[in-house]
Amino acid sequence: MRASHASSAPADLLGHVPLHQERGPDVRVSVLLPLPLREAYDYRVPPGLDLQPGDYVEVPLGPRRVIGVVWGPGGGTVESGRLKAVVRRFDVPPMPEVERRFIDWVAAYTMTMPGMVLKMAVSVPAALDPPKPTIAYHRSTAEPPPGFKLTEARKRVLALLDDGPPRTASELADEAGCGVTVVRGLAEAGMLEPVLLQPASASPHPEWDRPGPTLSPDQQASADFLRQKVEARAYATVLLDGVTGSGKTEVYYEAIAACLEQGRQVLVLLPEIALSAQWLDRFAKRFGAPPAEWHSDLTGAARRDTWRAVAKGEIPVVVGARSALFLPYRDLGLIIVDEEHDAAYKQEEGAIYHARDMAVARAHLGQIPIVLVSATPALETQVNADSRRYIRVHLPGRHGGAMLPDVKLIDLRADRPPPRHWLAPSLKKALTETLAEGEQAMLFLNRRGYAPLTLCRACGHRLQCPNCTAWLVEHRLARKLQCHHCGLAQPLPEACPNCGEHGTLAACGPGVERIAEEVAELFPDARAAIMASDTLFGPKAIQEMIRKIADHELDIVIGTQVMAKGHHFPMLTLVGVVDADLGLAGGDLRAGERTYQLLHQVAGRAGRGERPGTVYLQTYMPEHLVMQALAAGDRDGFYQLEAEMRLEAAMPPFGRLAALIVSGEDAALVDRVAMALGRAAPRSDTVAVLGPAPAPLALLRGRHRRRLLLKAPRGTPIQSLIAGWLEQVEVPPAVRVQVDVDPYSFL
């Protein structure tokens, strides 16, 4: 039943011509399945079923039935007698042609099986069937049957229905203050009649014509430019480049309004759920209704309803994580990628892709504008803007006259914290002064838990994850040790597991919990709280924490990168970075760039209101390029030097990289496959392959890992190089080889 590759169908066969127009008894279609398959499969179209490309269908696959998408006409290479028939077509709008082209493009670029990319686009199978109607009740005209007593609870239920609309049993029970059995008893007695209520339509639509806030001249000019790009209905990539606090969100809200005026859909990508709380509140105030959300914390019912409403064009604005890019938009007219530089946009498992780059491709395929938003753009984005492949729109100043914070370096070699403490005397003094002024402070450390390492003072043993090349992190508040890579959690042992000594285990280094402990010791009267991903569970908890900070119910916030960007707290005037050097270790290609971006974003939380802000960076390397650029406020100078170093090394964005990650549970077998790939690697005067070598995380979730890195000039068709490379090596089923085109992390 195997047909040609899903991406090989001619473009004219992927249009909207109904496939039933083909003549002959053997009408067949090619169906792509959301499974790890490289090819679509041929299926016979039964009489009376009209199918067109994009239709969602149910088909047999071995002994089971699976969903799939009609990708085009069948290949015609399978005998008619062996073809199985399509079981049914789902009553949902077909997948748009641009979405199918996008899936093919992503699969080809990332070297992922098309079925695995389709799986991201058909992530909610339950959404393909229409939601079931709800049973509600209204009052009948029947009299109570003989012997039926009208209790007070039953009378309250009947009174609710005298003048009101039909209601469900649970609604009636809640309002009448009784159990559901009371309502059902009335229905069984014939005093209530059931009616079927169709599911409610999508939530209220945002109002594009609601007046927004008064914009500054720079903001207005930028907003007008974005409106023009939306109204042109053509592809353009625009970099909205503005300092922290410059009002970038309000500017791109104007582009959203222009798209809504056209009756088209908008996608806004955010890197983290933590950013959505204040964003959603601002959006609802601006447009009078919230957007639809799409992220992993949604309930199954919410995901089902949202997916189906997006496909039907009933939802005009979606805000979500990277997976929202693969929703079946009926008429997408604009994409916004906020904090476009953020590493969270890179998916490292399954289909490995960078959502920002794929969003640019989606915009190009759909001939729509895309706006990349950041105060610290990725170097790739900077270079594209400098070369005018992207259009740069610049907001140079903070909104409302607020000043950028003063950044000061604390040299920890000279200004040393006391033993077993982590805050330098000068930072402690600044905290004291800030609290005395009735203002708020933020202490930033991008390390969760209490301590990153626990070791035995007797034998030197370090507590390590058995499944990963990683230390177990102590979480004292939860009383456990945890691996932040595989999720393993276990109680802190009373004795060293290596030598058996009691009372010798010591926490080494600080996490946010340990900083909070020090804050409580230094400022016992201050209202302090930790803001980290493992202390705030879900958007509601994050939203409540943000409310407390905004309402000045907290004096000091200690947190990780979840609080580093996107938030606006007018009374927050002091930011202290406990370990500014943390991201510079390890030799990562983007270590300097990432550290600069993160610390710049953290610094941007200070002084966003009328009061000026100050930022203290604790560092052992005040002379480092990153620290000097932050202290001088010289962002462009930093990017220029970073670009020069990358250009000299022919590294991205001035060269191409692709990684092969070989993994398996048998270390010896993984090594054999990795060595075979190393021997077969393509090499020339311009193409080099490094490795194989153990990955920095050589053991991850119980799988041994080896890496090879291909380095080539920009413009090299590395996908074809890698495809030919992989064909030369037989990989056993127990070993997995993942391809990471344009790797972002080297772990």
Side-chain angles (χ1 to χ4, degrees), residues 6-25:
S7 58
S8 64
D12 60 331
L13 296 182
L14 296 178
H16 299 290
V17 179
L19 298 173
H20 69 276
Q21 290 183 2
E22 297 182 20
R23 295 290 180 254

Side-chain angles (χ1 to χ4, degrees), residues 128-139:
L128 297 175
D129 284 312
K132 297 178 181 178
T134 303
I135 298 177
Y137 296 94
H138 66 76
R139 186 166 183 175

Side-chain angles (χ1 to χ4, degrees), residues 104-121:
D104 279 339
W105 192 93
V106 172
Y109 187 87
T110 63
M111 303 192 70
T112 304
M113 287 181 264
M116 293 301 293
V117 182
L118 179 67
K119 185 177 181 180
M120 296 189 292

Side-chain angles (χ1 to χ4, degrees), residues 600-612:
H600 187 283
Q601 294 283 343
V602 173
R605 298 315 102 202
R608 295 171 70 95
E610 296 179 357
R611 305 188 184 204

Side-chain angles (χ1 to χ4, degrees), residues 454 456 461 463 481 491-505:
T454 300
C456 175
H461 177 71
L463 300 186
L481 294 170
L492 184 67
E494 295 181 1
C496 173
N498 184 57
C499 69
E501 289 290 329
H502 285 72
T504 59
L505 294 176

Side-chain angles (χ1 to χ4, degrees), residues 17-41:
V17 179
L19 298 173
H20 69 276
Q21 290 183 2
E22 297 182 20
R23 295 290 180 254
D26 184 17
V27 180
R28 59 179 69 193
V29 290
S30 179
V31 177
L32 186 61
L33 307 176
L35 299 169
L37 301 170
R38 297 188 180 278
E39 302 171 336
Y41 285 85

Side-chain angles (χ1 to χ4, degrees), residues 408-418 422-434 443 518 522-523 574-577 614-619:
K408 299 181 179 181
L409 303 180
I410 296 177
D411 187 347
L412 291 174
R413 297 169 298 187
D415 192 0
R416 301 177 66 87
W422 313 98
L423 304 182
S426 55
L427 179 54
K428 177 185 172 183
K429 179 183 176 183
L431 283 166
T432 303
E433 294 171 350
T434 298
L443 294 176
E518 183 173 348
L522 296 173
F523 306 101
L574 175 67
V575 169
V577 178
T614 307
V615 179
Y616 288 88
L617 306 180
Q618 295 192 158
T619 174

Side-chain angles (χ1 to χ4, degrees), residues 80-156:
S80 300
R82 296 178 56 201
L83 283 180
K84 294 184 178 180
V86 174
V87 176
R88 62 165 170 154
R89 180 186 62 210
F90 290 96
D91 184 18
V92 65
M95 179 181 286
E97 184 261 350
V98 65
E99 178 75 5
R100 303 195 305 278
R101 286 194 290 127
F102 177 56
I103 289 171
D104 279 339
W105 192 93
V106 172
Y109 187 87
T110 63
M111 303 192 70
T112 304
M113 287 181 264
M116 293 301 293
V117 182
L118 179 67
K119 185 177 181 180
M120 296 189 292
V122 192
S123 58
V124 193
L128 297 175
D129 284 312
K132 297 178 181 178
T134 303
I135 298 177
Y137 296 94
H138 66 76
R139 186 166 183 175
S140 72
T141 58
E143 293 295 326
F148 187 79
K149 294 182 179 180
L150 282 178
T151 63
E152 290 301 318
R154 289 169 174 171
K155 289 178 182 178
R156 291 197 300 270

